Amino acid sequence: AQSVTQPDIHITVSEGASLELRCNYSYGATPYLFWYVQSPGQGLQLLLKYFSGDTLVQGIKGFEAEFKRSQSSFNLRKPSVHWSDAAEYFCAVLAGAQKLVFGQGTRLTINP
Amino acid sequence: GAGVSQSPRYKVAKRGQDVALRCDPISGHVSLFWYQQALGQGPEFLTYFQNEAQLDKSGLPSDRFFAERPEGSVSTLKIQRTQQEDSAVYLCASSTRTGFAEAFFGQGTRLTVV
């Protein structure tokens, strides 16, 4: 069955520091992968997605992610975080035609 | 409105009570999804509609859960005889027809069963 693992439940970084959030997936075929962000009391917002082609994808708010088939990973990165990036981040894989399977999420805290 | 709208935003129900959660998708969006997000967890798929047809209900946890979208627009998720384990945020999302497009999520309804 398809699954997504986000190994880090909570990460704290200083404002201006670089960020990498880990995501590992289990899927038999070429995966369609997504990163979503959820701020308190808000719905999920799509940051970026990978369907095929270039393995380095750019998203909104300065985020990027790299698909590595050999490692079954799709890690999210940002060169320099801002206080407004504090939120919960979810990695997801498309399972079936329309169903997303999400990871448990990583809560990001930003130190001033 | 411009986005997916869910109501109510918060619902407190006594155990055993029936509840109905409403989702207004983005106008013209064919596909509609319901997800359940327990505290500290990622969202979990409940059900999927294409227009008024419920094409996948594999994630509904029990027969107490029922979803409908009779006219292919607004959808209602109904939970009968609520239990404490039903406490969660219920998220609705909609997307366009073209393959799997970006799903736009609403802010969710937080259900607390006491």
Side-chain angles (χ1 to χ4, degrees):
Chain A
Q2 302 89 346
S3 66
V4 173
T5 301
Q6 294 180 246
D8 305 305
I9 295 175
H10 184 204
I11 284 183
T12 300
V13 300
S14 298
E15 189 168 14
S18 63
L19 171 71
E20 183 169 25
L21 302 182
R22 295 185 291 165
C23 172
N24 293 98
Y25 66 90
S26 172
Y27 190 73
T30 300
Y32 289 178
L33 295 161
F34 306 80
W35 274 99
Y36 283 86
V37 61
Q38 186 178 39
S39 298
Q42 301 297 313
L44 295 163
Q45 181 182 21
L46 180 67
L47 287 176
L48 47 79
K49 60 191 175 189
Y50 171 78
F51 284 1
S52 64
D54 193 347
T55 56
L56 184 64
V57 293
Q58 303 296 322
I60 63 171
K61 304 185 179 185
F63 286 92
E64 65 178 26
E66 186 171 13
F67 170 61
K68 293 185 177 179
R69 184 186 300 276
S70 62
Q71 298 177 18
S72 298
S73 70
F74 187 57
N75 294 349
L76 182 72
R77 301 194 293 249
K78 186 169 185 177
S80 175
V81 298
H82 185 263
W83 63 266
S84 60
D85 293 325
E88 189 94 19
Y89 290 80
F90 293 94
C91 181
V93 65
L94 185 64
Q98 296 278 357
K99 177 168 58 177
L100 289 174
V101 173
F102 287 87
Q104 191 173 11
T106 297
R107 182 161 60 94
L108 176 64
T109 299
I110 307 296
N111 281 338
Chain B
V4 177
S5 177
Q6 292 187 246
S7 62
R9 288 293 313 279
Y10 304 92
K11 176 70 177 177
V12 178
K14 292 183 177 178
R15 192 170 55 184
Q17 186 178 359
D18 297 348
V19 299
L21 312 180
R22 177 187 169 101
C23 173
D24 283 88
I26 294 173
S27 178
H29 276 196
V30 170
S31 298
L32 185 144
F33 313 83
W34 284 97
Y35 285 80
Q36 180 191 58
Q37 186 176 18
L39 188 64
Q41 302 295 316
E44 291 192 357
F45 172 82
L46 292 177
T47 188
Y48 157 62
F49 289 86
Q50 185 169 311
N51 294 308
E52 68 278 3
Q54 189 174 20
L55 299 186
D56 187 345
K57 56 181 180 179
S58 62
L60 296 176
S62 77
D63 58 7
R64 295 186 295 105
F65 286 71
F66 173 75
E68 60 183 6
R69 194 186 184 197
E71 298 180 356
S73 178
V74 171
S75 177
T76 303
L77 176 67
K78 297 179 179 178
I79 309 174
Q80 297 177 322
R81 305 180 304 280
T82 52
Q83 303 295 316
Q84 278 197 311
E85 61 264 29
D86 300 334
S87 296
V89 175
Y90 291 85
L91 296 167
C92 177
S94 68
S95 72
T96 59
R97 179 195 297 275
T98 55
F100 182 82
E102 174 183 346
F104 294 87
F105 282 82
Q107 292 182 296
T109 294
R110 180 177 296 278
L111 173 65
T112 302
V113 182
V114 298

